């Protein structure tokens, strides 16, 4: 029986690449999405991935959703917390709604999604949790105080949870992508895109598949000695020490 991998934000962008990579590696994959039913159904049909719809910022929906996944597919042994949003703006003009929307989806979801699976992983003495942070959670970014705060929080969450669960065969790691060639970056004006690329030493945007391959390794049995790590994948744009 294949291990069950659950990927939030798993039908678009980096999340879709992760879901496909894990499927290719032999896992049974459940991809979670928020709103676009037609796109999710196409993704499921094209890739043989089960899709489920709920809001990862809603703790009750996450509990019910995970129960639905496990009832249909089996116990979740790999969780990839990828879902995230932006609501950019300079802090002195930022609204409470902008702040809460980003903190709820990007950070509260860490608790809401991980809490329903962690006890089962501990009982089975195996689990892989991979959390998507960001280069901007490491270095900060103008106009993204909410996003940077949430993504920095993901790193702290990862390190503490790793310590709590290492003796139970559960690894918890974070991946911090830089600027990746996804629809989000494609929507940036051309001049701004050129400025972003000019600041990346390797001279290009990253590929979603490059992030997905790293996540697939961290989800594998080969990564059993890797926990509490923060993997930076940004083309040399920001060189961090963890």
């Amino acid at each position: 029986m294949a291990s069950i991998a659950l990927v939030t934000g798993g039908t678009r962008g980096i999340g879709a690449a992760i879901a496909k990579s894990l499927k290719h590696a032999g896992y049974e994959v459940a991809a979670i999405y928020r709103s676009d039913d037609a796109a999710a159904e196409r993704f499921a049909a094209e890739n043989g991935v089960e899709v489920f719809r709920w809001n990862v910022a809603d703790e009750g929906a996450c509990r019910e959703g995970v129960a639905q996944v496990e009832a249909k597919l089996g116990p979740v042994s790999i969780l990839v917390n990828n879902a995230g949003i932006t609501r950019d703006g300079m802090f002195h003009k930022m609204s409470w709604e902008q702040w809460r929307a980003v903190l709820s989806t990007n950070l509260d979801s860490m608790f809401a999604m991980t809490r329903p699976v962690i006890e089962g992983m501990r009982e089975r003495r195996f689990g892989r949790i991979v959390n998507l942070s960001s280069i901007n959670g490491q270095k900060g970014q103008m106009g993204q105080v909410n996003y940077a705060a949430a993504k920095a929080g993901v790193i702290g969450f990862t390190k503490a949870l790793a310590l709590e669960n290492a003796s139970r065969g559960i690894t918890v790691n974070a991946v911090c992508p830089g600027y990746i060639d996804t629809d989000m970056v494609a929507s940036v004006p051309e001049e701004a895109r050129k400025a972003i690329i000019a600041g990346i030493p390797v001279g290009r945007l990253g590929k979603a598949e490059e992030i997905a391959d790293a996540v697939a390794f961290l989800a594998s049995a080969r990564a059993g000695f890797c926990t509490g790590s923060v993997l930076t994948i940004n083309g040399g744009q920001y060189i961090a020490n963890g």
Side-chain angles (χ1 to χ4, degrees):
M1 180 177 173
S3 295
I4 309 304
L6 192 158
V7 182
T8 68
T11 62
R12 296 179 59 193
I14 292 173
I18 292 169
K20 288 190 282 188
S21 181
L22 292 173
K23 178 71 176 180
H24 181 73
Y27 302 105
E28 186 74 24
V29 179
I32 312 310
Y33 71 102
R34 172 81 184 267
S35 59
D36 193 336
D37 290 325
E41 288 168 9
R42 283 195 304 272
F43 180 79
E46 291 169 2
N47 296 285
V49 168
E50 297 275 355
V51 295
F52 299 82
R53 179 177 177 173
W54 72 77
N55 178 5
V56 297
D58 183 330
E59 187 269 339
C62 291
R63 276 189 288 107
E64 293 172 5
V66 169
Q68 181 185 2
V69 170
E70 295 197 323
K72 184 172 184 179
L73 303 179
V76 173
S77 58
I78 298 160
L79 172 64
V80 181
N81 284 312
N82 165 74
I85 62 170
T86 57
R87 297 289 185 271
D88 294 350
M90 297 296 282
F91 183 74
H92 65 280
K93 296 183 178 180
M94 185 175 290
S95 69
W96 177 249
E97 288 74 23
Q98 285 173 294
W99 173 265
R100 278 310 317 158
V102 171
L103 268 290
S104 294
T105 298
N106 297 11
L107 185 57
D108 290 351
S109 63
M110 296 293 129
F111 178 94
M113 284 301 307
T114 307
R115 186 64 182 82
V117 303
I118 194 70
E119 289 187 65
M121 289 180 177
R122 287 174 63 86
E123 289 170 6
R124 295 186 297 273
R125 303 187 75 88
F126 179 84
R128 296 284 185 265
I129 299 170
V130 185
N131 302 317
L132 273 290
S133 180
S134 167
I135 183 176
N136 293 339
Q138 295 177 298
K139 72 175 186 62
Q141 177 64 33
M142 287 181 61
Q144 287 196 326
V145 168
N146 48 4
Y147 184 81
K151 291 301 188 178
V154 169
I155 293 172
F157 175 89
T158 296
K159 292 182 176 183
L161 194 66
L163 290 173
E164 289 188 7
N165 291 283
S167 66
R168 292 282 179 168
I170 301 166
T171 66
V172 190
N173 294 288
V175 175
C176 292
Y179 287 91
I180 307 302
D181 193 6
T182 61
D183 291 342
M184 184 184 296
V185 175
S187 68
V188 172
E190 182 64 24
E191 288 304 311
R193 270 173 67 90
K194 289 179 180 177
I196 289 170
I197 293 170
I200 302 173
V202 302
R204 64 172 176 86
L205 298 172
K207 298 176 182 178
E209 291 77 15
E210 291 173 312
I211 307 302
D213 288 346
V215 172
F217 167 71
L218 292 172
S220 73
R222 302 189 307 278
F225 199 59
C226 184
T227 196
S229 295
V230 179
L231 179 57
T232 298
I233 309 176
N234 61 38
Q237 187 176 8
Y238 180 73
I239 298 174
N241 60 1

